[in-house]
Amino acid sequence: MRTFGYWLRRNSRWIAIDVISLGIMLLIVTLNHVPLSEWIYGVGINLFLIVVLGGVDYVSYVRKHRNLCRMREIIQISVDALEPPADALEADYEELIRLVHRDKMQQLTAFENKKTDMTEYYTMWMHQIKTPIAAMRLLLQSEDHPSNPELSEELFRIEQYVEMALQYLRLDSDTSDLLIQRYELDDIIREAVRKYAKLFIRKKIRLNYESVGMQVLTDEKWLEFVIEQVLSNAIKYTPSGSISIYKKPDEKQVLVIEDTGIGIRAEDLPRVCERGYTGYNGHTDKRSTGIGLYLCKQILKKLSHEIWLESGPGQGTKVYIRLDVTERVHE
């Protein structure tokens, strides 16, 4: 009915002219003493023509309306799908739409090119920075100095930040290097733990690791990065105590990483996986970026996994990672 109302409003001028014409005809018939039946006969012919021609015009109007609604719903609107213009005014509007669309596509192309150039530059920079990092690590290993442990720890953090930035760029990339197959989860966990072994020792944090004994359908590199980020957060916010890694007892495909750290406030818990959100703990620790858990959530979403947290101030934090996915074939 709404579309019909718009159509009536669009043709209201012609409808008004037709009604006035019929009124004038009635006046002429009355003044000339012509039988009223003649006027009724003319009105019948007029109404017949209005119904037929108006119906054809209404069908065309509805078709154009539905086509525009369909174009509005698709992501990339192509002006080639527009209906041929019915008159000069529609042709003017269509040409205006084409000019706006052309300008939009030019700006979109320029933006994509700029984004690609920036991504390639930062990717190249991150790969190049690994060379001086590796050189500094060799120098630290070759010289014995009391400050070496602290320097090694800071250098390790630099490596992690570089890796985080690289994964952040890859996350938004149109191309994907995912290699989905079945892996032993224990192998992935041990590799992640091995990277943080020195931090465990330095902070005197006890690691309780129970072999989970399960296979997961995932990408090894991406899942290992997620586990590393969760371990990094656990170590950062656990001044003393322990970190435990185990399988959730009541669910077969859920990995749990639990710490005895400072915990997370209830008001921060729903937002800790948002990009850039640091919460109360982030304001206390100025080095927090609010990117780690955001990356974890986005990566796990891409892998068809899930992540959620349970925590409270002074109660430590439990991070749950659900790893069961539907079998799928990747070409």
Side-chain angles (χ1 to χ4, degrees):
M1 289 299 296
R2 188 176 181 182
T3 304
F4 183 69
Y6 285 140
W7 178 80
L8 283 178
R9 190 181 306 169
R10 183 188 186 196
N11 294 279
S12 59
R13 181 183 302 175
W14 300 111
I15 294 173
I17 290 174
D18 189 70
V19 171
I20 293 171
S21 298
L22 290 175
I24 293 172
M25 286 176 58
L26 177 60
L27 180 63
I28 293 173
V29 166
T30 303
L31 292 175
N32 290 278
H33 306 288
V34 178
L36 190 61
S37 59
E38 298 292 334
W39 178 80
I40 295 174
Y41 179 73
V43 170
I45 295 175
N46 180 272
L47 289 175
F48 175 77
L49 291 174
I50 287 177
V51 170
V52 173
L53 298 178
V56 172
D57 184 68
Y58 178 70
V59 170
S60 175
Y61 179 81
V62 170
R63 186 178 66 249
K64 287 183 178 182
H65 172 69
R66 289 178 177 173
N67 183 49
L68 291 173
C69 290
R70 182 184 59 81
M71 290 175 62
R72 199 168 57 207
E73 291 173 358
I74 60 178
I75 297 175
Q76 291 293 338
I77 295 178
S78 173
V79 292
D80 296 331
L82 288 172
E83 294 279 344
D87 50 40
L89 190 61
E90 283 193 6
D92 292 337
Y93 277 118
E94 185 172 316
E95 182 60 25
L96 182 63
I97 291 172
R98 290 183 184 278
L99 290 173
V100 172
H101 182 266
R102 189 182 309 146
D103 182 66
K104 173 201 166 187
M105 297 307 297
Q106 289 175 350
Q107 290 188 28
L108 186 61
T109 301
F111 172 77
E112 290 294 337
N113 290 337
K114 186 176 180 180
K115 181 182 176 183
T116 300
D117 292 342
M118 184 180 68
T119 302
E120 289 177 354
Y121 171 77
Y122 282 119
T123 302
M124 178 186 66
W125 181 88
M126 281 177 235
H127 283 295
Q128 289 177 334
I129 200 66
K130 290 181 178 181
T131 301
I133 289 174
M136 284 188 285
R137 187 167 294 284
L138 288 173
L139 289 172
L140 286 172
Q141 291 173 354
S142 63
E143 296 182 9
D144 189 16
H145 192 275
S147 62
N148 277 13
E150 289 85 357
L151 291 173
S152 295
E153 184 177 335
E154 295 302 322
L155 191 59
F156 177 76
R157 285 200 179 97
I158 293 174
E159 288 178 313
Q160 295 306 303
Y161 289 146
V162 170
E163 185 63 24
M164 187 186 298
L166 190 58
Q167 297 296 345
Y168 185 85
L169 288 176
R170 288 173 177 168
L171 190 65
D172 291 333
S173 175
D174 293 332
T175 59
S176 175
D177 61 346
L178 293 178
L179 179 60
I180 303 294
Q181 61 186 48
R182 290 208 165 271
Y183 296 94
E184 290 291 339
L185 183 56
D186 284 311
D187 293 340
I188 299 175
I189 294 172
R190 290 190 187 101
E191 188 62 32
V193 169
R194 192 175 295 116
K195 289 185 179 180
Y196 286 88
K198 290 184 178 179
L199 289 181
F200 275 101
I201 296 170
R202 179 168 175 76
K203 294 192 69 173
K204 298 179 181 179
I205 297 174
R206 186 174 68 257
L207 174 65
N208 301 317
Y209 170 48
E210 301 175 10
S211 178
V212 295
M214 62 171 151
Q215 289 189 336
V216 291
L217 184 65
T218 189
D219 178 89
E220 181 181 33
K221 181 176 64 177
W222 286 87
L223 181 58
E224 183 180 325
F225 173 80
V226 169
I227 295 175
E228 287 176 8
Q229 288 301 307
V230 176
L231 284 175
S232 175
N233 280 354
I235 294 171
K236 183 190 300 183
Y237 296 112
T238 304
S240 62
S242 64
I243 295 174
S244 303
I245 305 174
Y246 55 92
K247 180 171 62 176
K248 191 178 181 185
D250 54 340
E251 296 190 52
K252 294 188 296 184
Q253 294 290 105
V254 176
L255 178 69
V256 184
I257 301 177
E258 179 183 359
D259 64 61
T260 59
I262 61 177
I264 303 171
R265 290 187 172 190
E267 58 267 29
D268 292 334
L269 201 55
R271 299 187 59 191
V272 290
C273 291
E274 293 181 9
R275 179 167 56 184
Y277 186 79
T278 57
Y280 176 80
N281 292 342
H283 286 85
T284 304
D285 183 358
K286 302 302 182 183
R287 295 173 299 177
S288 180
T289 61
I291 296 296
L293 284 177
Y294 165 77
L295 281 174
C296 290
K297 184 174 182 179
Q298 296 305 312
I299 290 170
L300 292 174
K301 184 178 179 181
K302 185 175 272 193
L303 295 172
S304 297
H305 302 328
E306 293 180 66
I307 184 172
W308 70 96
L309 290 79
E310 291 180 1
S311 185
Q315 300 175 14
T317 302
K318 289 183 180 179
V319 179
Y320 298 91
I321 303 175
R322 187 186 300 279
L323 297 164
D324 51 340
V325 297
T326 306
E327 292 279 357
R328 51 187 173 175
V329 177
H330 286 255
E331 296 181 357

